[in-house]
Amino acid sequence: MIQIKHKLILGLMVLLLAPLSYASDKDSLNVYLQIAAENNPDVRSGFANYKAAWQKVPQVRALEDPTLEVGFFFKPMDIVGGRQVADFTLMQMFPWFGTKKAARNEATHMAKMTYEQFRETRNNVFLQVYTQWYKMLALKEQLRNNQYNKELLLQLKSLALRRFSSPQSSATPSYTPPATTSAAAPITGGGMSGMSGMSSKSNESASSPAPSSGMSGMGSDMGSSSLGMSEVLRIELEILELDDNMETILANLNTEEAIFNTLLNRPIDSPILLPETIDKTAFAMSQSMESELIAKNPMLGMLEQEQSAYREMGKMNRRMSYPMLGIGVQYMLINKTSDAMLGMGSMNGDDMVMPMISISLPIYRGKYKAQQRESKWRQQMAQQKYISTLNNLNSQIHQAKNSLEDADRKILLYNRQSDLAQTTYNLGLKEFAVGKTDLTNLIQIHRQLLDYKLKEAQAIANYNTQVAAIQSTISFNYVTKED
Protein backbone atom coordinates (compact mmCIF):
# COMPACT_ATOMS: atom_id res chain seq x y z
CA MET A 1 0.00 0.00 0.00
CA ILE A 2 2.84 2.38 0.83
CA GLN A 3 4.47 1.53 -2.50
CA ILE A 4 1.30 2.45 -4.39
CA LYS A 5 1.11 5.79 -2.55
CA HIS A 6 4.71 6.49 -3.51
CA LYS A 7 3.86 5.77 -7.14
CA LEU A 8 0.95 8.18 -7.07
CA ILE A 9 3.05 10.90 -5.47
CA LEU A 10 5.77 10.34 -8.08
CA GLY A 11 3.19 10.47 -10.85
CA LEU A 12 1.76 13.75 -9.55
CA MET A 13 5.25 15.25 -9.37
CA VAL A 14 5.96 14.24 -12.96
CA LEU A 15 2.59 15.64 -14.00
CA LEU A 16 3.38 18.99 -12.37
CA LEU A 17 6.78 19.11 -14.04
CA ALA A 18 5.40 18.02 -17.42
CA PRO A 19 5.40 21.52 -19.00
CA LEU A 20 9.12 21.82 -18.25
CA SER A 21 9.72 18.47 -19.88
CA TYR A 22 7.84 19.56 -22.98
CA ALA A 23 10.27 22.38 -23.46
CA SER A 24 13.45 20.45 -22.65
CA ASP A 25 12.91 16.90 -23.87
CA LYS A 26 13.22 16.19 -27.55
CA ASP A 27 11.37 12.92 -27.15
CA SER A 28 8.63 13.51 -24.57
CA LEU A 29 7.00 10.11 -24.92
CA ASN A 30 7.78 9.14 -21.32
CA VAL A 31 6.05 12.30 -20.12
CA TYR A 32 2.95 11.46 -22.12
CA LEU A 33 2.99 7.90 -20.79
CA GLN A 34 3.04 9.22 -17.25
CA ILE A 35 0.16 11.58 -18.04
CA ALA A 36 -1.79 8.63 -19.44
CA ALA A 37 -1.06 6.63 -16.29
CA GLU A 38 -2.45 9.44 -14.15
CA ASN A 39 -5.34 10.69 -16.31
CA ASN A 40 -6.64 7.84 -18.47
CA PRO A 41 -10.07 6.77 -17.13
CA ASP A 42 -9.48 3.09 -17.86
CA VAL A 43 -6.26 3.13 -15.84
CA ARG A 44 -7.88 5.04 -13.00
CA SER A 45 -10.82 2.65 -13.00
CA GLY A 46 -8.50 -0.35 -12.83
CA PHE A 47 -6.57 1.22 -9.96
CA ALA A 48 -9.79 1.97 -8.06
CA ASN A 49 -10.86 -1.64 -8.56
CA TYR A 50 -7.50 -2.80 -7.17
CA LYS A 51 -7.83 -0.56 -4.11
CA ALA A 52 -11.37 -1.83 -3.54
CA ALA A 53 -10.21 -5.46 -3.75
CA TRP A 54 -7.69 -4.89 -0.94
CA GLN A 55 -10.52 -3.79 1.34
CA LYS A 56 -11.81 -7.37 1.27
CA VAL A 57 -8.85 -8.56 3.36
CA PRO A 58 -9.83 -6.88 6.65
CA GLN A 59 -13.45 -7.88 6.05
CA VAL A 60 -12.83 -11.62 5.86
CA ARG A 61 -10.20 -11.49 8.61
CA ALA A 62 -12.64 -10.12 11.19
CA LEU A 63 -14.82 -12.34 13.31
CA GLU A 64 -18.56 -12.37 12.98
CA ASP A 65 -20.39 -9.85 15.10
CA PRO A 66 -21.39 -11.13 18.53
CA THR A 67 -25.06 -11.54 19.31
CA LEU A 68 -26.80 -10.04 22.31
CA GLU A 69 -30.22 -11.29 23.41
CA VAL A 70 -32.25 -9.31 25.92
CA GLY A 71 -35.49 -10.48 27.47
CA PHE A 72 -37.76 -8.55 29.92
CA PHE A 73 -40.62 -9.88 31.97
CA PHE A 74 -43.63 -7.61 32.12
CA LYS A 75 -44.53 -9.48 35.26
CA PRO A 76 -41.45 -10.70 37.17
CA MET A 77 -41.26 -14.44 37.33
CA ASP A 78 -40.80 -16.09 40.73
CA ILE A 79 -37.83 -18.41 40.82
CA VAL A 80 -35.74 -19.91 43.56
CA GLY A 81 -33.71 -17.06 44.98
CA GLY A 82 -35.95 -14.20 44.01
CA ARG A 83 -38.00 -12.78 41.14
CA GLN A 84 -36.46 -12.74 37.65
CA VAL A 85 -36.95 -9.44 35.88
CA ALA A 86 -34.75 -9.69 32.78
CA ASP A 87 -32.38 -12.01 30.95
CA PHE A 88 -29.25 -10.99 28.95
CA THR A 89 -27.31 -13.38 26.71
CA LEU A 90 -24.08 -12.46 24.86
CA MET A 91 -22.58 -14.96 22.40
CA GLN A 92 -19.50 -14.88 20.12
CA MET A 93 -19.10 -17.56 17.45
CA PHE A 94 -15.66 -18.73 16.28
CA PRO A 95 -15.08 -20.63 13.02
CA TRP A 96 -12.97 -23.76 12.92
CA PHE A 97 -9.24 -23.32 13.31
CA GLY A 98 -7.59 -22.04 10.10
CA THR A 99 -10.83 -20.93 8.43
CA LYS A 100 -10.12 -17.22 8.78
CA LYS A 101 -6.54 -17.64 7.65
CA ALA A 102 -7.66 -19.41 4.48
CA ALA A 103 -10.27 -16.71 3.86
CA ARG A 104 -7.66 -13.99 4.36
CA ASN A 105 -5.26 -15.72 1.94
CA GLU A 106 -8.03 -16.07 -0.64
CA ALA A 107 -8.87 -12.36 -0.42
CA THR A 108 -5.17 -11.47 -0.68
CA HIS A 109 -4.72 -13.53 -3.84
CA MET A 110 -7.88 -12.03 -5.32
CA ALA A 111 -6.52 -8.53 -4.62
CA LYS A 112 -3.22 -9.45 -6.26
CA MET A 113 -5.15 -10.83 -9.22
CA THR A 114 -6.93 -7.48 -9.49
CA TYR A 115 -3.55 -5.75 -9.47
CA GLU A 116 -2.43 -7.90 -12.40
CA GLN A 117 -5.63 -6.90 -14.18
CA PHE A 118 -4.76 -3.28 -13.48
CA ARG A 119 -1.28 -3.85 -14.95
CA GLU A 120 -2.81 -5.40 -18.05
CA THR A 121 -5.16 -2.44 -18.47
CA ARG A 122 -2.37 0.04 -17.92
CA ASN A 123 -0.07 -1.72 -20.40
CA ASN A 124 -2.83 -1.82 -23.02
CA VAL A 125 -3.32 1.92 -22.63
CA PHE A 126 0.44 2.44 -22.89
CA LEU A 127 0.47 0.35 -26.07
CA GLN A 128 -2.25 2.55 -27.53
CA VAL A 129 -0.19 5.61 -26.62
CA TYR A 130 2.88 4.08 -28.27
CA THR A 131 0.90 3.15 -31.38
CA GLN A 132 -0.60 6.63 -31.75
CA TRP A 133 2.80 8.19 -31.10
CA TYR A 134 4.47 6.30 -33.94
CA LYS A 135 1.51 6.91 -36.23
CA MET A 136 1.97 10.65 -35.71
CA LEU A 137 5.72 10.38 -36.22
CA ALA A 138 5.20 8.40 -39.44
CA LEU A 139 2.75 11.03 -40.73
CA LYS A 140 5.13 13.82 -39.80
CA GLU A 141 7.95 12.02 -41.61
CA GLN A 142 5.72 11.55 -44.64
CA LEU A 143 4.93 15.24 -44.57
CA ARG A 144 8.63 16.06 -44.41
CA ASN A 145 9.40 13.71 -47.31
CA ASN A 146 6.63 15.21 -49.41
CA GLN A 147 7.97 18.68 -48.71
CA TYR A 148 11.47 17.57 -49.69
CA ASN A 149 10.19 16.05 -52.92
CA LYS A 150 8.27 19.22 -53.65
CA GLU A 151 11.52 21.15 -53.39
CA LEU A 152 13.07 18.71 -55.86
CA LEU A 153 10.20 19.29 -58.25
CA LEU A 154 10.57 23.04 -57.89
CA GLN A 155 14.24 22.70 -58.82
CA LEU A 156 13.25 20.54 -61.78
CA LYS A 157 10.65 23.13 -62.79
CA SER A 158 13.27 25.86 -62.69
CA LEU A 159 15.53 23.77 -64.91
CA ALA A 160 12.68 23.06 -67.35
CA LEU A 161 11.83 26.78 -67.48
CA ARG A 162 15.42 27.58 -68.39
CA ARG A 163 15.27 25.04 -71.18
CA PHE A 164 11.94 26.44 -72.30
CA SER A 165 13.17 30.03 -72.32
CA SER A 166 16.19 29.15 -74.52
CA PRO A 167 15.00 26.55 -77.04
CA GLN A 168 17.80 27.39 -79.54
CA SER A 169 20.39 26.02 -77.13
CA SER A 170 18.89 22.60 -77.40
CA ALA A 171 18.36 22.81 -81.18
CA THR A 172 21.79 24.08 -82.15
CA PRO A 173 23.83 20.93 -81.42
CA SER A 174 21.54 18.84 -83.63
CA TYR A 175 21.71 21.21 -86.59
CA THR A 176 24.42 20.42 -89.28
CA PRO A 177 25.06 22.76 -92.25
CA PRO A 178 24.93 21.35 -95.85
CA ALA A 179 28.17 19.97 -97.39
CA THR A 180 30.14 22.24 -99.84
CA THR A 181 32.88 19.88 -101.04
CA SER A 182 31.71 19.90 -104.76
CA ALA A 183 32.05 23.67 -105.03
CA ALA A 184 35.66 23.50 -103.95
CA ALA A 185 36.65 20.68 -106.37
CA PRO A 186 39.30 21.61 -109.06
CA ILE A 187 38.38 21.76 -112.86
CA THR A 188 40.62 19.39 -114.78
CA GLY A 189 39.03 19.47 -118.19
CA GLY A 190 36.98 21.70 -120.57
CA GLY A 191 34.14 21.24 -123.00
CA MET A 192 31.70 18.67 -121.86
CA SER A 193 33.47 18.17 -118.59
CA GLY A 194 33.15 21.86 -117.84
CA MET A 195 29.56 21.86 -118.88
CA SER A 196 29.14 18.79 -116.74
CA GLY A 197 30.59 20.64 -113.80
CA MET A 198 28.33 23.61 -114.42
CA SER A 199 25.35 21.35 -114.78
CA SER A 200 26.24 19.65 -111.51
CA LYS A 201 26.46 23.02 -109.78
CA SER A 202 23.16 24.05 -111.27
CA ASN A 203 21.52 20.90 -109.95
CA GLU A 204 23.03 21.49 -106.54
CA SER A 205 21.76 25.04 -106.63
CA ALA A 206 18.33 23.86 -107.65
CA SER A 207 18.25 21.40 -104.80
CA SER A 208 19.86 23.77 -102.34
CA PRO A 209 18.33 23.50 -98.84
CA ALA A 210 18.66 27.19 -98.11
CA PRO A 211 14.96 28.12 -98.32
CA SER A 212 13.75 24.98 -96.59
CA SER A 213 16.43 25.33 -93.95
CA GLY A 214 14.69 28.37 -92.54
CA MET A 215 11.31 26.61 -92.37
CA SER A 216 12.91 23.60 -90.70
CA GLY A 217 14.53 25.77 -88.06
CA MET A 218 11.19 27.50 -87.41
CA GLY A 219 9.45 24.15 -87.01
CA SER A 220 12.20 22.95 -84.69
CA ASP A 221 11.82 26.07 -82.56
CA MET A 222 8.05 25.60 -82.33
CA GLY A 223 8.43 21.92 -81.45
CA SER A 224 11.03 22.69 -78.83
CA SER A 225 8.84 25.41 -77.33
CA SER A 226 5.84 23.09 -77.22
CA LEU A 227 7.92 20.34 -75.67
CA GLY A 228 9.34 22.68 -73.03
CA MET A 229 5.90 23.99 -72.13
CA SER A 230 4.49 20.47 -71.72
CA GLU A 231 7.39 19.59 -69.41
CA VAL A 232 6.64 22.56 -67.20
CA LEU A 233 2.94 21.68 -67.08
CA ARG A 234 3.69 18.05 -66.15
CA ILE A 235 5.87 19.24 -63.30
CA GLU A 236 3.07 21.56 -62.18
CA LEU A 237 0.72 18.55 -62.11
CA GLU A 238 3.17 16.64 -59.92
CA ILE A 239 3.47 19.60 -57.56
CA LEU A 240 -0.31 19.90 -57.29
CA GLU A 241 -0.54 16.21 -56.44
CA LEU A 242 2.11 16.62 -53.74
CA ASP A 243 0.25 19.60 -52.29
CA ASP A 244 -2.93 17.53 -52.12
CA ASN A 245 -1.03 14.69 -50.44
CA MET A 246 0.36 17.07 -47.84
CA GLU A 247 -3.10 18.45 -47.11
CA THR A 248 -4.38 14.91 -46.60
CA ILE A 249 -1.44 14.07 -44.33
CA LEU A 250 -2.06 17.20 -42.24
CA ALA A 251 -5.73 16.27 -41.85
CA ASN A 252 -4.79 12.72 -40.81
CA LEU A 253 -2.19 14.07 -38.40
CA ASN A 254 -4.78 16.32 -36.74
CA THR A 255 -7.08 13.31 -36.34
CA GLU A 256 -4.34 11.18 -34.80
CA GLU A 257 -3.40 14.00 -32.42
CA ALA A 258 -7.03 14.22 -31.29
CA ILE A 259 -7.06 10.46 -30.60
CA PHE A 260 -3.76 10.78 -28.74
CA ASN A 261 -5.10 13.56 -26.51
CA THR A 262 -8.20 11.46 -25.85
CA LEU A 263 -5.99 8.67 -24.51
CA LEU A 264 -4.41 11.22 -22.17
CA ASN A 265 -7.87 12.50 -21.17
CA ARG A 266 -6.98 16.01 -22.32
CA PRO A 267 -8.71 18.49 -24.65
CA ILE A 268 -8.38 17.25 -28.21
CA ASP A 269 -6.70 20.48 -29.33
CA SER A 270 -3.91 20.29 -26.73
CA PRO A 271 -0.47 20.80 -28.33
CA ILE A 272 1.77 17.75 -28.74
CA LEU A 273 5.55 17.96 -28.97
CA LEU A 274 6.88 15.55 -31.60
CA PRO A 275 10.52 14.83 -32.51
CA GLU A 276 11.73 16.07 -35.87
CA THR A 277 12.49 12.59 -37.20
CA ILE A 278 11.40 9.04 -36.52
CA ASP A 279 14.23 6.81 -35.33
CA LYS A 280 14.40 3.08 -35.02
CA THR A 281 14.14 1.85 -31.43
CA ALA A 282 17.20 -0.03 -30.19
CA PHE A 283 15.93 -3.48 -29.28
CA ALA A 284 17.35 -7.00 -29.20
CA MET A 285 15.29 -10.12 -28.60
CA SER A 286 17.28 -12.54 -26.44
CA GLN A 287 16.57 -15.81 -24.68
CA SER A 288 16.60 -14.10 -21.30
CA MET A 289 14.04 -11.59 -22.54
CA GLU A 290 11.76 -14.41 -23.68
CA SER A 291 11.93 -15.85 -20.16
CA GLU A 292 11.16 -12.39 -18.75
CA LEU A 293 8.17 -12.06 -21.07
CA ILE A 294 6.73 -15.21 -19.53
CA ALA A 295 7.72 -14.48 -15.94
CA LYS A 296 6.37 -10.91 -15.83
CA ASN A 297 3.34 -11.23 -18.07
CA PRO A 298 0.35 -9.73 -16.22
CA MET A 299 -2.16 -12.19 -17.69
CA LEU A 300 -0.12 -15.17 -16.50
CA GLY A 301 0.36 -13.49 -13.13
CA MET A 302 -3.39 -12.90 -12.89
CA LEU A 303 -4.14 -16.56 -13.62
CA GLU A 304 -1.54 -17.69 -11.09
CA GLN A 305 -3.16 -15.55 -8.40
CA GLU A 306 -6.60 -16.78 -9.42
CA GLN A 307 -5.47 -20.39 -9.14
CA SER A 308 -3.99 -19.72 -5.69
CA ALA A 309 -7.19 -17.96 -4.62
CA TYR A 310 -9.31 -21.00 -5.56
CA ARG A 311 -6.88 -23.24 -3.72
CA GLU A 312 -7.35 -21.20 -0.56
CA MET A 313 -11.08 -21.18 -1.20
CA GLY A 314 -11.02 -24.97 -1.13
CA LYS A 315 -9.25 -24.93 2.23
CA MET A 316 -11.77 -22.45 3.60
CA ASN A 317 -14.75 -24.50 2.35
CA ARG A 318 -13.34 -27.64 3.92
CA ARG A 319 -12.92 -25.96 7.30
CA MET A 320 -16.36 -24.40 7.06
CA SER A 321 -17.78 -27.92 6.99
CA TYR A 322 -16.49 -28.37 10.54
CA PRO A 323 -18.48 -27.21 13.58
CA MET A 324 -18.36 -23.62 14.73
CA LEU A 325 -17.73 -22.92 18.41
CA GLY A 326 -19.50 -20.23 20.42
CA ILE A 327 -18.52 -18.73 23.75
CA GLY A 328 -20.88 -16.50 25.68
CA VAL A 329 -22.35 -15.46 28.98
CA GLN A 330 -25.90 -15.24 30.31
CA TYR A 331 -26.84 -12.68 32.92
CA MET A 332 -30.17 -12.88 34.77
CA LEU A 333 -31.44 -9.82 36.62
CA ILE A 334 -33.23 -10.99 39.80
CA ASN A 335 -35.07 -8.91 42.41
CA LYS A 336 -35.77 -9.94 45.98
CA THR A 337 -38.96 -11.80 46.86
CA SER A 338 -41.04 -11.75 50.03
CA ASP A 339 -41.81 -15.44 49.77
CA ALA A 340 -39.78 -17.21 52.47
CA MET A 341 -39.83 -20.47 50.59
CA LEU A 342 -38.30 -18.93 47.40
CA GLY A 343 -36.05 -16.41 49.05
CA MET A 344 -33.35 -18.92 49.98
CA GLY A 345 -32.07 -16.72 52.76
CA SER A 346 -28.94 -14.83 51.84
CA MET A 347 -29.32 -15.62 48.10
CA ASN A 348 -32.58 -13.72 47.88
CA GLY A 349 -32.29 -11.15 45.06
CA ASP A 350 -28.80 -12.13 43.90
CA ASP A 351 -28.27 -11.80 40.12
CA MET A 352 -27.07 -14.89 38.27
CA VAL A 353 -24.20 -15.09 35.76
CA MET A 354 -23.81 -18.23 33.69
CA PRO A 355 -21.02 -18.90 31.14
CA MET A 356 -22.19 -20.62 27.95
CA ILE A 357 -20.68 -22.65 25.16
CA SER A 358 -22.43 -23.42 21.86
CA ILE A 359 -21.52 -25.52 18.89
CA SER A 360 -22.99 -25.62 15.40
CA LEU A 361 -23.97 -28.93 13.90
CA PRO A 362 -23.15 -29.02 10.13
CA ILE A 363 -25.24 -32.11 9.48
CA TYR A 364 -26.34 -31.10 5.99
CA ARG A 365 -23.17 -32.17 4.21
CA GLY A 366 -24.38 -31.81 0.66
CA LYS A 367 -23.78 -28.08 0.37
CA TYR A 368 -20.30 -28.32 1.91
CA LYS A 369 -19.26 -31.07 -0.47
CA ALA A 370 -20.63 -29.05 -3.38
CA GLN A 371 -18.59 -26.03 -2.27
CA GLN A 372 -15.42 -28.11 -2.16
CA ARG A 373 -16.09 -29.57 -5.61
CA GLU A 374 -16.76 -26.07 -6.92
CA SER A 375 -13.41 -24.81 -5.68
CA LYS A 376 -11.60 -27.78 -7.25
CA TRP A 377 -13.27 -27.23 -10.63
CA ARG A 378 -12.53 -23.52 -10.53
CA GLN A 379 -8.93 -24.26 -9.66
CA GLN A 380 -8.72 -26.62 -12.62
CA MET A 381 -10.33 -23.98 -14.85
CA ALA A 382 -7.69 -21.41 -13.84
CA GLN A 383 -4.93 -23.95 -14.44
CA GLN A 384 -6.14 -24.74 -17.96
CA LYS A 385 -6.55 -21.04 -18.74
CA TYR A 386 -2.97 -20.53 -17.60
CA ILE A 387 -1.72 -23.26 -19.94
CA SER A 388 -3.72 -21.83 -22.84
CA THR A 389 -2.47 -18.29 -22.19
CA LEU A 390 1.11 -19.54 -21.91
CA ASN A 391 0.84 -21.36 -25.25
CA ASN A 392 -0.63 -18.28 -26.90
CA LEU A 393 2.10 -16.12 -25.41
CA ASN A 394 4.83 -18.43 -26.73
CA SER A 395 3.32 -18.33 -30.21
CA GLN A 396 3.01 -14.54 -30.01
CA ILE A 397 6.67 -14.28 -29.01
CA HIS A 398 7.76 -16.29 -32.06
CA GLN A 399 5.47 -14.27 -34.30
CA ALA A 400 6.85 -11.06 -32.82
CA LYS A 401 10.42 -12.20 -33.50
CA ASN A 402 9.56 -12.93 -37.13
CA SER A 403 7.73 -9.62 -37.45
CA LEU A 404 10.70 -7.74 -36.01
CA GLU A 405 13.14 -9.46 -38.35
CA ASP A 406 10.86 -8.78 -41.32
CA ALA A 407 10.43 -5.13 -40.36
CA ASP A 408 14.19 -4.81 -39.88
CA ARG A 409 14.85 -6.24 -43.33
CA LYS A 410 12.32 -3.88 -44.87
CA ILE A 411 13.91 -0.88 -43.19
CA LEU A 412 17.30 -1.82 -44.64
CA LEU A 413 15.75 -2.53 -48.04
CA TYR A 414 13.88 0.75 -48.27
CA ASN A 415 16.90 2.66 -47.00
CA ARG A 416 19.11 1.20 -49.74
CA GLN A 417 16.44 1.74 -52.35
CA SER A 418 16.04 5.35 -51.23
CA ASP A 419 19.79 5.94 -51.53
CA LEU A 420 19.90 4.35 -54.97
CA ALA A 421 16.83 6.28 -56.13
CA GLN A 422 18.35 9.52 -54.86
CA THR A 423 21.61 8.84 -56.72
CA THR A 424 19.68 7.86 -59.85
CA TYR A 425 17.59 11.00 -59.61
CA ASN A 426 20.66 13.22 -59.27
CA LEU A 427 22.24 11.61 -62.34
CA GLY A 428 18.98 11.86 -64.25
CA LEU A 429 18.72 15.52 -63.36
CA LYS A 430 22.13 16.18 -64.88
CA GLU A 431 21.21 14.20 -68.00
CA PHE A 432 17.96 16.12 -68.27
CA ALA A 433 19.86 19.40 -68.09
CA VAL A 434 21.96 18.46 -71.13
CA GLY A 435 19.05 16.87 -72.98
CA LYS A 436 20.17 13.23 -72.69
CA THR A 437 17.00 12.00 -70.98
CA ASP A 438 13.34 12.92 -71.03
CA LEU A 439 11.07 14.19 -68.28
CA THR A 440 8.99 11.00 -68.09
CA ASN A 441 11.92 8.94 -66.89
CA LEU A 442 12.94 11.59 -64.37
CA ILE A 443 9.43 11.91 -62.90
CA GLN A 444 9.19 8.13 -62.59
CA ILE A 445 12.46 8.06 -60.64
CA HIS A 446 11.15 10.92 -58.49
CA ARG A 447 7.99 8.98 -57.66
CA GLN A 448 10.05 5.92 -56.74
CA LEU A 449 12.20 8.05 -54.44
CA LEU A 450 9.13 9.41 -52.66
CA ASP A 451 7.59 5.95 -52.41
CA TYR A 452 10.73 4.43 -50.87
CA LYS A 453 10.99 7.26 -48.34
CA LEU A 454 7.37 6.84 -47.27
CA LYS A 455 7.74 3.05 -47.01
CA GLU A 456 10.89 3.43 -44.93
CA ALA A 457 9.14 5.75 -42.47
CA GLN A 458 6.17 3.39 -42.21
CA ALA A 459 8.49 0.39 -41.72
CA ILE A 460 10.26 2.16 -38.84
CA ALA A 461 6.91 3.01 -37.27
CA ASN A 462 5.80 -0.63 -37.60
CA TYR A 463 9.05 -1.85 -36.07
CA ASN A 464 8.79 0.49 -33.09
CA THR A 465 5.13 -0.40 -32.60
CA GLN A 466 6.03 -4.10 -32.61
CA VAL A 467 8.69 -3.44 -29.98
CA ALA A 468 6.10 -1.64 -27.85
CA ALA A 469 3.71 -4.57 -28.27
CA ILE A 470 6.40 -6.94 -26.98
CA GLN A 471 7.10 -4.69 -24.02
CA SER A 472 3.40 -4.47 -23.24
CA THR A 473 3.32 -8.22 -22.53
CA ILE A 474 5.42 -7.57 -19.44
CA SER A 475 5.68 -3.91 -18.55
CA PHE A 476 7.33 -0.87 -20.03
CA ASN A 477 10.84 0.08 -19.01
CA TYR A 478 10.19 2.95 -16.62
CA VAL A 479 7.14 1.18 -15.15
CA THR A 480 9.16 -1.99 -14.54
CA LYS A 481 11.67 -0.02 -12.49
CA GLU A 482 8.91 1.41 -10.32
CA ASP A 483 7.36 -2.02 -9.84
Side-chain angles (χ1 to χ4, degrees), residues 39-323:
N39 291 353
N40 185 271
D42 291 334
V43 178
R44 294 174 66 91
S45 174
F47 182 75
N49 187 33
Y50 161 68
K51 296 285 288 185
W54 269 112
Q55 304 308 312
K56 283 287 185 181
V57 178
Q59 296 180 36
V60 300
R61 185 173 54 188
L63 294 173
E64 295 183 4
D65 295 332
T67 59
L68 175 63
E69 297 180 3
V70 180
F72 292 94
F73 295 93
F74 292 106
K75 183 179 180 181
M77 183 178 63
D78 292 329
I79 60 174
V80 176
R83 305 181 69 185
Q84 185 177 0
V85 179
D87 181 53
F88 302 90
T89 303
L90 180 65
M91 180 66 65
Q92 175 66 61
M93 300 299 296
F94 296 92
W96 193 259
F97 304 102
T99 304
K100 286 297 179 181
K101 180 181 179 181
R104 183 178 67 250
N105 293 337
E106 179 196 357
T108 301
H109 287 299
M110 293 296 285
K112 292 180 178 179
M113 183 186 72
T114 309
Y115 176 71
E116 297 298 332
Q117 290 177 339
F118 160 70
R119 282 186 59 209
E120 178 71 12
T121 302
R122 180 191 60 183
N123 291 346
N124 288 335
V125 171
F126 285 171
L127 179 57
Q128 295 178 34
V129 173
Y130 268 97
T131 302
Q132 288 300 126
W133 178 261
Y134 292 124
K135 279 184 179 180
M136 293 186 297
L137 287 184
L139 289 173
K140 187 175 181 179
E141 186 71 14
Q142 291 178 9
L143 187 64
R144 191 173 67 89
N145 289 330
N146 276 271
Q147 184 63 39
Y148 171 72
N149 281 269
K150 181 180 178 180
E151 294 175 0
L152 294 180
L153 286 178
L154 291 175
Q155 295 176 2
L156 184 59
K157 177 184 176 182
S158 177
L159 181 60
L161 284 173
R162 287 198 298 268
R163 290 185 57 181
F164 171 66
S165 61
S166 58
Q168 291 292 338
S169 62
S170 60
T172 301
S174 61
Y175 173 76
T176 56
T180 57
T181 55
S182 59
I187 301 176
T188 57
M192 294 299 295
S193 61
M195 292 296 294
S196 175
M198 294 176 62
S199 177
S200 174
K201 291 179 181 180
S202 300
N203 292 336
E204 290 178 1
S205 299
S207 60
S208 174
S212 62
S213 175
M215 294 297 294
S216 176
M218 185 180 299
S220 176
D221 293 345
M222 293 177 63
S224 178
S225 300
S226 176
L227 179 61
M229 190 62 184
S230 65
E231 290 176 349
V232 174
L233 292 178
R234 288 188 60 187
I235 297 173
E236 287 286 349
L237 290 175
E238 293 292 327
I239 293 177
L240 289 177
E241 184 176 354
L242 279 181
D243 289 337
D244 181 70
N245 289 340
M246 286 189 287
E247 291 293 332
T248 302
I249 292 173
L250 283 175
N252 293 336
L253 183 59
N254 291 333
T255 302
E256 299 300 335
E257 288 180 349
I259 298 175
F260 187 82
N261 283 320
T262 301
L263 291 174
L264 273 57
N265 197 23
R266 306 191 308 176
I268 60 176
D269 56 348
S270 299
I272 300 174
L273 179 64
L274 292 174
E276 293 299 326
T277 58
I278 180 171
D279 299 322
K280 177 183 173 183
T281 303
F283 184 78
M285 193 74 171
S286 60
Q287 188 67 33
S288 59
M289 181 170 291
E290 293 184 19
S291 302
E292 185 181 9
L293 292 176
I294 296 175
K296 294 186 177 182
N297 182 262
M299 288 300 297
L300 293 180
M302 181 189 69
L303 293 174
E304 285 180 350
Q305 297 298 333
E306 185 179 12
Q307 187 175 352
S308 300
Y310 289 139
R311 187 184 304 113
E312 295 297 329
M313 180 189 292
K315 295 179 181 179
M316 182 187 66
N317 291 335
R318 185 170 61 253
R319 286 171 171 80
M320 287 179 63
S321 65
Y322 300 151

Side-chain angles (χ1 to χ4, degrees), residues 35 37 83 87 98 184-185 265 271 281 329 380 387 422 429 455 459 469:
I35 294 176
R83 305 181 69 185
D87 181 53
N265 197 23
T281 303
V329 61
Q380 185 177 354
I387 296 174
Q422 184 67 57
L429 194 64
K455 287 182 177 180

Side-chain angles (χ1 to χ4, degrees), residues 386-455:
Y386 179 89
I387 296 174
S388 176
T389 305
L390 179 60
N391 293 336
N392 292 333
L393 182 60
N394 286 325
S395 64
Q396 291 175 6
I397 290 174
H398 288 288
Q399 291 177 0
K401 290 173 61 178
N402 293 334
S403 299
L404 283 177
E405 294 174 357
D406 182 65
D408 197 17
R409 286 194 302 267
K410 287 183 177 180
I411 292 174
L412 294 176
L413 172 63
Y414 295 141
N415 183 265
R416 293 174 181 174
Q417 289 178 329
S418 298
D419 293 341
L420 290 175
Q422 184 67 57
T423 304
T424 305
Y425 180 80
N426 293 337
L427 293 176
L429 194 64
K430 294 179 181 179
E431 294 176 354
F432 178 77
V434 297
K436 292 184 178 180
T437 185
D438 58 352
L439 184 64
T440 301
N441 186 34
L442 197 58
I443 289 180
Q444 183 178 1
I445 298 173
H446 175 269
R447 289 177 176 176
Q448 290 179 344
L449 175 62
L450 177 60
D451 184 61
Y452 293 148
K453 288 290 186 181
L454 298 182
K455 287 182 177 180

